[in-house]
């Protein structure tokens, strides 16, 4: 308590002694400094999968898809890499002889790409479907469609 009283008293005395006038400084010169930074591409970096729902939040744990728990990611490294690709699971269904649409069991299947090239060259991603097979039997006429795809940046830059 004594310490705070002393500080207040000292400030009051200083204000009285200087008459409460503002102090002003005169700029005598200015100088511009030369600042540089160089970036190199991210060689040898393996980016682990991030949560596809909230990629900006590093506190949210890496994704673990309950329908694909053994998928750790691709392990690819380099300045441009595909880090993760969901294995899409459709489950087991009885053959009906009719055209039927099946939805993936995965709640949020996703692909994660990392670009550490620093060149703003851009990139594109495409997918190709192989035949749907069960053993040596092929499901003819099957198609795969991705609806409502969303691109989410892992950083604002």
């Amino acid at each position: 308590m004594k310490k705070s009283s002393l500080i207040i008293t000292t400030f009051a005395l200083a204000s009285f002694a200087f008459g409460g006038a503002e102090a002003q400084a005169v700029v005598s010169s200015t100088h511009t400094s030369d600042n540089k930074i160089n970036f190199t591409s991210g060689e040898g970096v393996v980016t682990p999968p991030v949560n596809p729902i909230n990629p900006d939040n590093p506190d949210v744990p890496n994704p673990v898809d309950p329908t694909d728990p053994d998928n750790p990611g691709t392990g690819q490294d380099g300045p441009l890499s595909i880090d993760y690709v969901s294995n899409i699971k459709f489950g087991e269904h009885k053959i009906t002889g009719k055209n039927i649409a099946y939805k993936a069991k995965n709640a949020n299947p996703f692909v994660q790409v990392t670009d550490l090239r620093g060149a703003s060259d851009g990139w594109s991603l495409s997918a190709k479907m192989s035949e749907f097979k069960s053993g040596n039997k092929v499901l003819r006429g099957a198609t795969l469609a991705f609806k409502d795809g969303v691109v989410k940046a892992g950083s604002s830059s």
Side-chain angles (χ1 to χ4, degrees):
M1 189 68 179
K2 287 183 181 179
K3 203 173 214 177
S4 61
S5 296
L6 178 63
I7 292 170
I8 292 170
T9 305
T10 303
F11 179 76
L13 287 174
S15 296
F16 178 74
F18 293 108
E22 292 182 18
Q24 295 182 357
V26 177
V27 177
S28 61
S29 67
T30 61
H31 183 74
T32 303
S33 64
D34 186 18
N35 301 292
K36 295 180 181 178
I37 185 169
N38 293 320
F39 292 103
T40 59
S41 65
E43 298 290 334
V45 175
V46 175
T47 305
V50 298
N51 188 306
I53 303 303
N54 192 357
D56 294 327
N57 188 351
D59 295 331
V60 176
N62 289 342
V64 176
D65 186 342
T67 60
D68 192 18
D70 299 324
N71 186 352
T74 66
Q76 290 183 353
D77 67 353
L80 181 62
S81 61
I82 299 174
D83 307 319
Y84 185 88
V85 178
S86 292
N87 293 312
I88 301 174
K89 309 288 185 171
F90 292 96
E92 187 173 311
H93 304 278
K94 292 187 185 247
I95 299 171
T96 65
K98 299 177 183 177
N99 288 339
I100 299 177
Y102 297 106
K103 291 186 176 184
K105 299 283 184 189
N106 311 63
N108 297 298
F110 71 101
V111 175
Q112 178 179 307
V113 177
T114 297
D115 186 350
L116 302 174
R117 297 173 298 167
S120 299
D121 288 339
W123 51 270
S124 64
L125 178 69
S126 60
K128 181 180 177 186
M129 185 179 97
S130 60
E131 295 178 313
F132 277 94
K133 289 184 177 182
S134 178
N136 60 356
K137 296 178 182 178
V138 176
L139 179 59
R140 304 223 184 271
T143 60
L144 181 62
F146 294 98
K147 292 183 177 182
D148 304 322
V150 176
V151 175
K152 291 185 179 181
S155 73
S156 59
S157 59

